[in-house]
Amino acid sequence: MITLLDGFVDEPSCLGVPPYISPYVRYIAGAIRDAGEKYEYITIEEWRKGRKIKGDVLVILAGAVVPGRYLRGMPISFREFQEICKNFKGIKILVGSAARYGFRRGGGKSFIDGGRYVDYSVKKDGDAFLYELLNGEPVDRLRTKTEWRRWSVLGAEIAKQHPDYPQPLIAEIETYRGCVRWFTGGCSFCIEPLFRRPLFRDEDEIIKEVKALVAAGVVNFRIGGQSCFFSYKAKGIGESECPMPNVDAIKRLLESISKMQPKVLHIDNVNPSIVANWEEKSREITH
Ligand code: SF4
């Protein structure tokens, strides 16, 4: 069995600190199910309270790259990560931005590399890596759009194992990866432009994922998994750093999710320069 230990992620375009459950957790669960394997899910807060790790393969999801103050759970520290790795005798896999950039030390200090404490430190998508590993060969790669669609639905059930389920759990929903400013290099400190041209999920894929989460009993949602929500499927991408908001696509998405009558539906991450350049279009979205 595989144990997925959620060390909580907090990235500029993805939140997974309780009461939020990150999409990465769900994609990993979906990839494991797709490969025909079983998993248990445990959060770092549960581990702190003494819950034992039962699996023979341990996947640690970690990566708080944004300084934050949290009320319901603290992301895994480097010291905790070391302790867990030292005591676990099976295969250890580190995924998430802690694998990509290292563990954050805080206060503007440099990142610490955790790679030497694990068997695999996955730089691309943890879900795709696990799927490959469980099928015989470890390959560090990004998930395809088809996998994204499949795993986001297959993994929805893991939400039931979250300590905050059903309330006050909030499922973070991702609409795309990358940044519309990639072709000029974007902001110097940011990694999103490295994904090159943004890869958008289609509305129906996102809606299917939300439906699967609703069927699993999730009632609260945040559409926060993107660098700018108003740039979702925007027009003029690759020509302007401020492409025109696609009001129809955004409306379709929000209206379809609203029809499922979530208790909470909110959005996060809108680039102010898009609002400033497209005032009327932005108003249409918020009306
Ligand atoms: S605008 Fe793009 S490059 Fe700049 S911080 Fe946002 S996502 Fe990163």
Side-chain angles (χ1 to χ4, degrees), residues 179 181 186-187 189-190 192-193 227 271:
C179 171
R181 300 184 57 216
C187 308
F189 57 84
C190 183
E192 284 293 325
S227 46
N271 183 345

Side-chain angles (χ1 to χ4, degrees), residues 213-266:
L213 286 161
V214 168
V218 177
V219 292
N220 305 316
F221 297 89
R222 183 181 94 146
I223 306 176
Q226 66 276 312
S227 46
C228 167
F229 184 57
F230 282 16
S231 298
Y232 174 67
K233 286 194 168 180
K235 295 169 184 165
I237 286 177
E239 294 157 21
S240 161
E241 286 195 299
C242 286
M244 184 171 86
N246 185 337
V247 179
D248 289 342
I250 291 176
K251 267 187 143 177
R252 245 189 325 271
L253 189 58
L254 291 177
E255 283 175 1
S256 303
I257 297 176
S258 293
K259 277 189 195 142
M260 292 182 237
Q261 300 186 315
K263 287 211 164 36
V264 170
L265 172 60
H266 62 126

Side-chain angles (χ1 to χ4, degrees), residues 59-71:
V59 179
I60 303 173
L61 171 66
V65 291
V66 175
R69 284 181 182 275
Y70 309 104
L71 298 175

Side-chain angles (χ1 to χ4, degrees), residues 91-118:
I91 297 171
K92 298 176 276 277
I93 304 167
L94 177 62
V95 303
S97 49
R100 234 167 277 137
Y101 313 111
F103 282 80
R104 212 174 139 267
R105 282 199 266 201
K109 292 184 194 149
S110 59
F111 285 77
I112 320 170
D113 182 15
R116 69 192 168 97
Y117 300 92
V118 291

Side-chain angles (χ1 to χ4, degrees), residues 7 9 11 26 30 40 84 88-89 104 113 122 135 145 149 183 189 192 202 206-207 209 214 218 226 237 239 256 265:
V9 296
E11 299 173 1
R26 306 191 311 264
E40 67 161 356
I84 291 166
F88 184 78
K89 301 301 170 216
R104 212 174 139 267
D113 182 15
V122 180
N135 279 294
K145 259 197 106 180
R149 187 181 311 132
F183 63 102
F189 57 84
E192 284 293 325
D202 290 330
I206 301 167
I207 292 160
E209 179 186 9
V214 168
V218 177
Q226 66 276 312
I237 286 177
E239 294 157 21
S256 303
L265 172 60

Side-chain angles (χ1 to χ4, degrees), residues 189-218:
F189 57 84
C190 183
I191 47 96
E192 284 293 325
L194 299 177
F195 289 113
R196 309 295 301 158
R197 193 178 188 89
L199 184 59
F200 295 103
R201 301 177 70 198
D202 290 330
E203 297 92 303
D204 69 307
E205 296 174 23
I206 301 167
I207 292 160
K208 275 186 190 147
E209 179 186 9
V210 175
K211 267 191 187 147
L213 286 161
V214 168
V218 177

Side-chain angles (χ1 to χ4, degrees), residues 96-197:
S97 49
R100 234 167 277 137
Y101 313 111
F103 282 80
R104 212 174 139 267
R105 282 199 266 201
K109 292 184 194 149
S110 59
F111 285 77
I112 320 170
D113 182 15
R116 69 192 168 97
Y117 300 92
V118 291
D119 298 279
Y120 301 104
S121 180
V122 180
K123 308 296 177 211
K124 293 189 174 160
D125 286 333
D127 40 77
F129 175 87
L130 262 171
Y131 183 75
E132 295 288 353
L133 181 72
L134 295 172
N135 279 294
E137 272 300 313
V139 182
D140 199 350
R141 64 169 175 85
L142 297 177
R143 78 186 74 90
T144 64
K145 259 197 106 180
T146 311
E147 289 168 338
W148 203 347
R149 187 181 311 132
R150 201 165 62 233
W151 296 342
S152 64
V153 170
L154 271 179
E157 293 248 320
I158 199 171
K160 290 181 179 173
Q161 296 185 37
H162 194 287
D164 280 347
Y165 173 88
Q167 284 283 26
L169 187 71
I170 304 172
E172 174 83 311
I173 302 292
E174 190 176 26
T175 60
Y176 66 91
R177 76 183 342 163
C179 171
V180 295
R181 300 184 57 216
W182 96 96
F183 63 102
T184 62
C187 308
S188 58
F189 57 84
C190 183
I191 47 96
E192 284 293 325
L194 299 177
F195 289 113
R196 309 295 301 158
R197 193 178 188 89

